[in-house]
Amino acid sequence: MTGQYYIGIMSGTSLDGVDVALADFSAMPRILATYQEPFPALLRAEILALAQGASRSLQAIGELDHRLGRLFSDAVLGLLAQETLSARQIRAIGSHGQTVFHHPQGDNPFTMQLGDAHLIAARTGIDTVADFRRKDMAVGGQGAPLVPAFHEYLFARKDSIRIVLNIGGIANISILRPHQDTIGYDTGAGNMLMDAWAQRHTGLDYDKNAAFAKQGQVQNRLLEQLLADEYFRRPAPKSTGREKFHLAWLDAQLATLPDYTPADIQRSLLEFSVRSIATEIERYADKRYRQEIIVCGGGAHNPLLMQRLAQLLADWTIQSSADYGIDSDYLEAAAFAWLAYCHLQGICTNLPAVTGAKRRCILGALHCAD
């Protein structure tokens, strides 16, 4: 292998593993290799508790930052070993970090991602670009979503409306329309609530192939109450996360309703995610153009979720990003490799129409290996 290679690290709200992608941006963007580092169960539980508002000392948060930095660097080293690459062959790493709280509203907006980038750079011997979101927030943006710029780079066409739908813990869309600015925002819960409910009632990390959901029926009263949340009335730009859509939020909704079976609630949560996504996508329908949806993220593997999207969005062509040569599980990791590339090239990558920022800017901070 020759060229200027970049590595992207992504650990999302689902906490199902650390995704790492090796990418080449010297010509056409290519993902050359991928790797996933499992998330240790204890570390995952601690992050979930912190993200849901559990009180932690500064020492505990600092130690989490260090442990995540070690985990992320282990993931990079795993990829290098798998591909028989040396640190010298990698120009830079782009690390998203692990979001533990995202609060873009109010007088003192902030976002917090953990995973010590200095430690990543030191342990891998590779310059590391991290802390992408706070620069956008410093110029008035929400710091999210950041991936629509990469989606635009990969997928924008002059003859099609393309919506890139990422279904991770949170679902988000990038709207690529001819002759218009790219926009994008979080539609609401993706897999997050389904995963949490399945973990509580089946002991499994997620509802594989929607087996649990298929045992239940949609409960319309519950569905309507979930969709009545104020987040869905809020105009874009908007972003959300685990600090909003978590089990305590769901339990509060259920407390005012009749007792439903766990399977009925699982099926209703799937419908909740699907409806909140489909409602937003339909806002951008325009039959003068081809209407295409490109799906990535873990939700792309949920057959019932994909079936329901196809039923609700019958006028749209729905395909996986894999159909365009980009592994649907690693598109976000590749995006942060690209953001690192852009940082070193001095390219502005925030989109004010997406985040609400007052101006374009170069995202991230460089942490040198030497």
Side-chain angles (χ1 to χ4, degrees):
M1 288 184 176
T2 59
Q4 292 288 305
Y5 300 133
Y6 290 79
I7 287 176
I9 310 171
M10 182 66 197
S11 176
T13 50
S14 291
L15 293 168
D16 51 1
V18 180
D19 297 331
V20 185
L22 175 71
D24 180 6
F25 302 111
S26 58
M28 293 297 292
R30 294 183 299 153
I31 296 179
L32 304 176
T34 61
Y35 181 85
Q36 187 177 75
E37 184 78 14
F39 226 101
L42 180 59
L43 183 58
R44 184 179 190 274
E46 291 180 41
I47 293 166
L48 282 172
L50 182 61
Q52 294 176 16
S55 177
R56 291 291 184 270
S57 69
L58 286 176
Q59 179 179 345
I61 293 171
E63 290 178 355
L64 272 178
D65 188 46
H66 181 92
R67 290 159 64 192
L68 283 164
R70 291 185 66 88
L71 179 66
F72 296 157
S73 53
D74 284 346
V76 171
L77 293 170
L79 175 68
L80 294 179
Q82 172 186 283
E83 299 301 315
T84 321
L85 290 170
S86 71
R88 293 188 302 275
Q89 292 173 272
I90 311 301
R91 179 64 188 87
I93 294 167
S95 177
H96 171 268
Q98 179 62 58
T99 298
V100 294
F101 212 86
H102 183 67
H103 180 69
Q105 307 292 334
D107 295 334
N108 300 291
F110 73 96
T111 187
M112 181 178 289
Q113 286 76 41
L114 300 182
D116 187 348
H118 287 291
L119 189 59
I120 297 170
R123 293 190 76 225
T124 63
I126 302 168
D127 291 350
T128 300
V129 185
D131 195 15
F132 291 98
R133 298 191 184 278
R134 291 199 297 173
K135 181 61 175 289
D136 181 78
M137 296 186 80
V139 295
Q142 297 215 358
L146 298 183
V147 179
F150 185 56
H151 294 161
E152 179 183 83
Y153 171 68
L154 288 178
F155 298 122
R157 296 293 182 272
K158 293 181 179 179
D159 59 352
S160 304
I161 296 174
R162 284 183 165 178
I163 292 184
V164 184
L165 167 61
N166 175 58
I167 312 174
I170 293 294
N172 53 69
I173 54 175
S174 301
I175 302 97
L176 314 176
R177 293 175 291 179
H179 317 299
Q180 297 189 55
D181 289 341
T182 293
I183 59 175
Y185 52 92
D186 293 341
T187 62
N191 302 316
M192 184 180 295
L193 290 172
M194 289 186 286
D195 289 351
W197 191 255
Q199 288 158 18
R200 175 184 283 181
H201 290 278
T202 70
L204 302 175
D205 287 340
Y206 68 101
D207 184 15
K208 186 175 181 180
N209 295 324
F212 186 26
K214 288 176 182 177
Q215 298 172 28
Q217 301 292 324
V218 175
Q219 297 298 322
N220 289 322
R221 185 174 168 187
L222 170 59
L223 178 62
E224 290 169 6
Q225 181 160 320
L226 297 179
L227 289 171
D229 188 90
E230 59 82 24
Y231 182 80
F232 303 108
R233 299 190 299 274
R234 195 185 304 168
K238 60 181 179 178
S239 55
T240 189
R242 191 176 292 280
E243 69 287 341
K244 168 68 175 178
F245 293 108
H246 50 69
L247 270 179
W249 176 84
L250 176 60
D251 287 338
Q253 308 292 324
L254 294 173
T256 66
L257 295 168
D259 288 336
Y260 301 122
T261 69
D264 281 354
I265 293 170
Q266 185 74 12
R267 179 64 185 85
S268 300
L269 290 173
L270 185 147
E271 194 71 12
F272 170 55
S273 294
V274 169
R275 295 281 186 93
S276 58
I277 291 166
T279 296
E280 294 304 319
I281 289 177
E282 276 292 88
R283 296 180 190 277
Y284 305 101
D286 186 341
K287 294 183 180 179
R288 293 177 298 170
Y289 301 100
R290 289 202 298 269
Q291 299 183 150
E292 301 172 352
I293 300 170
I294 302 170
V295 185
C296 58
H301 302 298
N302 185 317
L304 181 56
L305 189 154
M306 295 302 295
Q307 176 189 327
R308 288 294 297 135
L309 278 176
Q311 290 168 344
L312 292 175
L313 298 166
D315 292 331
W316 297 75
T317 299
I318 302 177
Q319 292 181 289
S320 166
S321 65
D323 296 315
Y324 297 84
I326 305 290
D327 188 319
S328 64
D329 291 326
Y330 291 91
L331 191 147
E332 281 199 292
F336 283 89
W338 179 76
L339 287 169
Y341 163 82
C342 291
H343 178 93
L344 296 185
Q345 298 295 319
I347 298 171
C348 296
T349 46
N350 70 323
L351 299 178
V354 171
T355 68
K358 295 181 176 65
R359 60 178 173 85
R360 299 292 302 272
C361 59
I362 299 167
L363 300 179
L366 178 62
H367 302 73
C368 295
D370 297 325

